[in-house]
Amino acid sequence: MFKNLVYCVSFLCLLNSTTLYANEIRQSPYKTDLWERLIFFHNGAFQITDRNFLLSHKNPSVKLELSLTIKAMKNNPSFICKYPARYKYLTENRLLAIQDANCPNLKKYRENVIADKFYYIFASKNFTSITSFMGHSLLAVSGTDLSGKERSHAYTFFANLYDVNIFTLLYDAFIGGLEGVFALSPLSEKLNEYLDEGREIWRLELNISQQKRALLKDSLWELKDVKPEYFLHDFNCATIIYYSLGIVLPDILASQSFFTSPVDIYKSLQIKNYIKNIQIQYKEDTFEQLGKDYSTVQPSLEMQDSSIGVYYKDGVHLTFMGASHRTRTPQIATIEQTRLKIGEIDFNITKNKIENFSAYEYLDLPRHKGLSSHLFLGASRNDYTNYDKLRPNAAMSFGSDWQYGKASFSVLAGARVQAKDLVNPILESFSSYKFNDYTTFTLATEFQTNGENELYKTKALFSKRVSKNLVIFAGYDVMKSNNFNEEHLVTGIDYHF
């Protein structure tokens, strides 16, 4: 009886102490949303579950991560060195007493990486790299160290492509996942790398207080040993920077789009007035290649990457595109009309059939002299006998592009591989005329043959951007072979979001 009473009293004491601790956490003046941002908990899920980052990786939980972090720092001060941003948060909110910790590596980092200024850097698109065809982004810091030396560093997150199988690269980028790598390097190295690729670099100095700069700098230190999986559409260079900036600038997270890209971060920072000043860098021969009158416009003027649309041709069609733009999408500050489609589907409601599916497609027409290229992976109407038949295929072509004033013209030759017909030589051309940044005319032609039959396609469209998110278009579509001849007027609208 006495033993049972002791057990009962002990249990009640334990329950009471647990309840008091839980109440202490709940009643403390700390903000749970900041804790969630520090551990990358967004949209009801952990964005990083790497065991080197999340202590509760076996059973991820916001509250469990909090209790495990407190326990770890109390029992082993080395965790203070590993998670300095979390430590700062816990001590400032009286969830953990200030402790002594010997952190030589963290001390060296704080002394050598100076954050008198924080920058968001956007490098323009590069279609030749699967992980950069929507641009690339990084965070950077600069300042003067104790010896008076100017220092500047770049924080980058990228996919490790060194050991990737080229034949499974697209699958890994979207489905299987690539190894993600965080890196801290001298800023000049990254900028020179981008400039060598002919990219424009937009350096945005951010209007962030000293306290927030210190917290952001420490939170980036916590990522140094983490290698989360890199997914092009879901967790890329823009995603991690977006969430990192959100730690100290939480209001930018309210404008998260369906497909977060480097341009989306630019727009969010601009809308919330976090940009102090902007510097633009070009490759040395940019004006020699593009002319002395060449000028650029802010990336934030580009349309959003994802879109839905409706148009009429041989029936009513509905379209959806995960990212990024079509040839008919008016593009800012360029003469040539490029193309980049990720996860586009075109469904003919009237016929109850899919007309086109682009898993991945790009059309790269360099502004200066260089090799033009067009890649398509998906399913399209390329059957020689049946106009409506969808054929899974892969196509690649190369050629050259010429520009005359506001006009652009390109010719490319290559091959399409599809079932039954195997390898089909193709010859295609793309022409455009830019009335202004918001109004274009585009003409695309294609010839394909399997040696016995021939297939011809022509599409001519006038497109106009009528608002921040809307593009209207109208034109003519022709597809004919030895066995059919289909000609249709086309008119429709795209909504970008």
Side-chain angles (χ1 to χ4, degrees), residues 4 70 103 127 136 177 232 248 252 279 318 438 455 472 479:
N4 290 338
I70 293 173
C103 306
F127 286 143
H136 203 270
L232 190 61
V248 295
I252 71 169
Q279 292 180 315
L318 281 179
Y438 300 96
L455 186 65
I472 57 174
M479 181 174 170

Side-chain angles (χ1 to χ4, degrees), residues 9 21 26 109 125 131 135 146 156 160 180 224 243 257 270 379 388 410 424 428 437 443 473:
V9 172
Y21 177 70
R26 281 199 297 270
Y109 165 74
K125 302 171 183 177
T131 59
L146 295 176
T156 56
N160 182 6
K224 66 183 181 63
Y243 288 142
S257 59
Q270 190 173 56
D388 287 317
S410 58
N424 302 256
E428 51 189 354
D437 281 335
L443 173 65
F473 57 91

Side-chain angles (χ1 to χ4, degrees), residues 13-50:
C13 290
L14 177 63
L15 179 63
N16 184 57
S17 64
T18 303
T19 304
L20 287 173
Y21 177 70
N23 287 334
E24 179 185 345
I25 290 181
R26 281 199 297 270
Q27 295 172 6
S28 293
Y30 82 106
K31 296 181 179 180
T32 56
D33 55 346
L34 175 55
W35 174 253
E36 290 176 357
R37 298 197 303 274
L38 282 170
I39 59 177
F40 285 73
F41 184 83
H42 296 276
N43 305 317
F46 284 95
Q47 303 303 312
I48 299 177
T49 57
D50 190 299

Side-chain angles (χ1 to χ4, degrees), residues 79-241:
F79 281 95
I80 296 174
C81 307
K82 186 174 183 178
Y83 301 116
R86 298 191 198 186
Y87 174 71
K88 184 180 298 183
Y89 167 86
L90 294 173
T91 54
E92 287 181 354
N93 288 283
R94 299 190 302 240
L95 295 171
L96 181 68
I98 296 175
Q99 298 174 244
D100 290 328
N102 183 25
C103 306
N105 291 332
L106 177 60
K107 181 182 178 183
K108 183 178 179 182
Y109 165 74
R110 286 174 169 170
E111 290 176 350
N112 292 327
V113 180
I114 311 301
D116 294 338
K117 295 179 181 180
F118 243 105
Y119 302 92
Y120 172 70
I121 294 180
F122 168 74
S124 60
K125 302 171 183 177
N126 177 13
F127 286 143
T128 62
S129 171
I130 191 171
T131 59
S132 296
F133 51 50
M134 296 183 71
H136 203 270
S137 57
L138 57 87
L139 289 176
V141 293
S142 69
T144 307
D145 64 16
L146 295 176
S147 66
K149 183 179 180 180
E150 289 288 332
R151 294 180 178 270
S152 56
H153 291 85
Y155 297 91
T156 56
F157 175 63
F158 53 91
N160 182 6
L161 301 178
Y162 292 109
D163 298 320
V164 170
N165 186 329
I166 189 65
F167 298 105
T168 63
L169 180 56
L170 274 175
Y171 173 84
D172 293 335
F174 288 99
I175 301 173
L178 297 165
E179 182 187 51
V181 179
F182 288 99
L184 176 66
S185 60
L187 178 59
S188 58
E189 289 183 7
K190 295 303 300 181
L191 297 185
N192 289 335
E193 180 182 319
Y194 293 141
L195 292 172
D196 288 343
E197 294 173 354
R199 304 204 210 185
E200 291 178 359
I201 298 174
W202 293 72
R203 188 193 306 205
L204 282 55
E205 183 183 347
L206 303 180
N207 187 16
I208 304 178
S209 67
Q210 190 278 330
Q211 184 179 10
K212 289 184 176 181
R213 292 198 305 272
L215 179 61
L216 178 56
K217 178 179 165 181
D218 279 352
S219 68
L220 292 169
W221 167 265
E222 296 184 4
L223 299 173
K224 66 183 181 63
D225 298 320
V226 182
K227 292 186 177 181
E229 285 191 306
Y230 182 107
F231 291 93
L232 190 61
H233 63 295
D234 186 49
F235 199 85
N236 52 47
C237 68
T239 316
I240 195 68
I241 288 177

